[in-house]
Amino acid sequence: MSQLAPMITRDGRFAYEATGNPGATPLIFLHGIGGAARAWRQQLATFGGRFHAIAWDMPGYGGSAPLASVSIAALAGALQQFIDQIGAAKPILVGHSIGGMIVQKWLTQSPKLARAVVLAQTSPAFGKADGDWQKSFLEARLGPLNRGETMRSLAPSLVRELVGDDPDPKGMELARECMASVPEASYRAMMLALIGFDQRSTLKDITVPTLLLSGSKDNNAPAPMMAKMATYIPAAEYAELPGVGHLANLERPDAFDKALSSFVDPIATKQG
C-alpha cells in the first residue's frame, strides 16, 4: 500500500487522501470509529485508475478539525461540507460502520446528491438513548479508558475482537495503527454519538442504487441484520463476505474490492 500525502480542503477543516483523475466519478470512503483515511489505502490504489478515489478523515481524526458538538447529524452536515469543498459532484459513497450511519443520515438531508451508496458493515439503528443498555455499552467501551488504559494500549485487543477468520497480516497491522492513533476524545465522542441512532423509518426513502455489504463473522453488524436491512431499501443489493468480521477492507481487501467493483463499475459508466 502506497504512502499518500494527506491533503487539506480549502477551508482547512478536513484532511483526506485521494488518487485518480479529479474529473472521474468521485468514490468517497468513510471510515469507522477506530479507523482513519489511511485505512482505505488499498482501495485508493485499486480504484484510483478508474475513479477519483477519496478517503476522508472524519472530524476529530487525522488532520481534520473536531466538531464543537458530535452527533450523527452534525457529522452528516460535515460530510456535505467536505463534498462541497472538494467539488465532488454526484459521488458514490462507501460508508463503513459509523461511516455508513453518517451516509444514511446524509441521505435524509441530500437524497438525490449521490450517484450510489455502499453501506458496509453498518446498521440502521444502534441501542437506546437511555437506560441500562446504554450504561453497559459505555462501560464496556469506555471503562478501560476511564481506568487508565490508552488507545495505543487497547488497540491490539480492540482490533482482535473485531476480525474474523485468517485476516490479512498487513491489514491487521494497519488496523492496529489506525486504532492506536484515534484521539481519545474523538473515540469517546463517537461512542456517545452512536447511542440512540435510528434511521429504520427512512430506509424506504433511499432512492439511489445501494449495496449492503456484510461479513459472515461480523458481531457488530451481523449479516442477518444487514440482509434484513436490505429488504427495506427499494433498489438494494446485498452481498456477504464469508469468514469476514467487522473490518472487511483490511481483513480481506481483495474480496472486499471485488465485491465493491462489481457494484460501482457499472454505475460509473452511466454518467449523469
Side-chain angles (χ1 to χ4, degrees):
M1 285 174 277
S2 61
Q3 299 296 309
L4 294 172
M7 304 172 76
I8 303 290
T9 53
R10 294 186 305 275
D11 63 1
R13 291 179 57 203
F14 304 117
Y16 64 104
E17 297 185 358
T19 59
N21 180 358
T25 300
L27 181 62
I28 302 176
F29 295 91
L30 291 83
H31 61 79
I33 283 181
R38 65 183 181 276
W40 297 106
R41 281 182 179 162
Q42 170 142 336
Q43 284 68 48
L44 296 188
T46 299
F47 292 95
R50 52 197 192 276
F51 292 87
H52 185 206
I54 303 153
W56 184 40
D57 269 324
M58 288 195 298
Y61 287 72
S64 291
L67 296 173
S69 179
V70 179
S71 67
I72 302 296
L75 290 161
L79 172 61
Q80 182 58 53
Q81 291 159 10
F82 172 68
I83 290 170
D84 291 342
Q85 282 285 312
I86 62 174
K90 278 284 188 179
I92 300 172
L93 298 175
V94 181
H96 171 251
S97 196
I98 198 172
M101 296 177 182
I102 294 167
V103 169
Q104 290 174 66
K105 175 61 78 173
W106 178 82
L107 283 169
T108 69
Q109 302 169 2
S110 309
K112 298 185 184 302
L113 293 187
R115 193 181 305 267
V117 298
V118 178
L119 303 176
Q121 306 181 283
T122 190
S123 66
F126 196 91
K128 302 172 183 176
D130 53 25
D132 291 339
W133 186 92
Q134 180 190 20
K135 292 176 184 175
S136 61
F137 171 80
L138 292 177
E139 168 57 28
R141 299 305 189 278
L142 302 182
L145 292 171
N146 295 337
R147 292 187 288 274
E149 295 277 4
T150 65
M151 291 304 298
R152 186 159 297 280
S153 68
L154 290 171
S157 60
L158 288 173
V159 169
R160 190 164 54 246
E161 291 167 5
L162 291 173
V163 301
D165 302 333
D166 302 318
D168 177 74
K170 289 185 178 179
M172 292 304 90
E173 183 179 350
L174 181 53
R176 290 188 292 270
E177 176 192 323
C178 289
M179 184 74 77
S181 300
V182 176
E184 182 179 325
S186 297
Y187 187 79
R188 288 177 178 274
M190 291 291 182
M191 285 295 176
L192 291 170
L194 280 176
I195 303 295
F197 171 79
D198 192 344
Q199 291 297 138
R200 288 174 292 186
S201 66
T202 64
L203 295 177
K204 68 183 186 306
D205 301 321
I206 296 176
T207 58
V208 299
T210 303
L211 171 66
L212 282 86
L213 185 57
S214 74
S216 70
K217 296 291 186 75
D218 188 347
N219 295 321
N220 284 30
M225 178 275 295
M226 289 205 69
K228 182 178 179 182
M229 180 181 175
T231 67
Y232 291 95
I233 300 174
E237 298 178 29
Y238 173 76
E240 185 176 318
L241 301 177
V244 174
H246 191 60
L247 304 178
N249 69 298
L250 294 168
E251 294 178 56
R252 303 278 183 86
D254 292 342
F256 181 90
D257 291 356
K258 182 178 179 182
L260 187 56
S261 289
S262 66
F263 177 72
V264 301
D265 287 350
I267 290 168
T269 65
K270 300 175 184 177
Q271 296 292 328

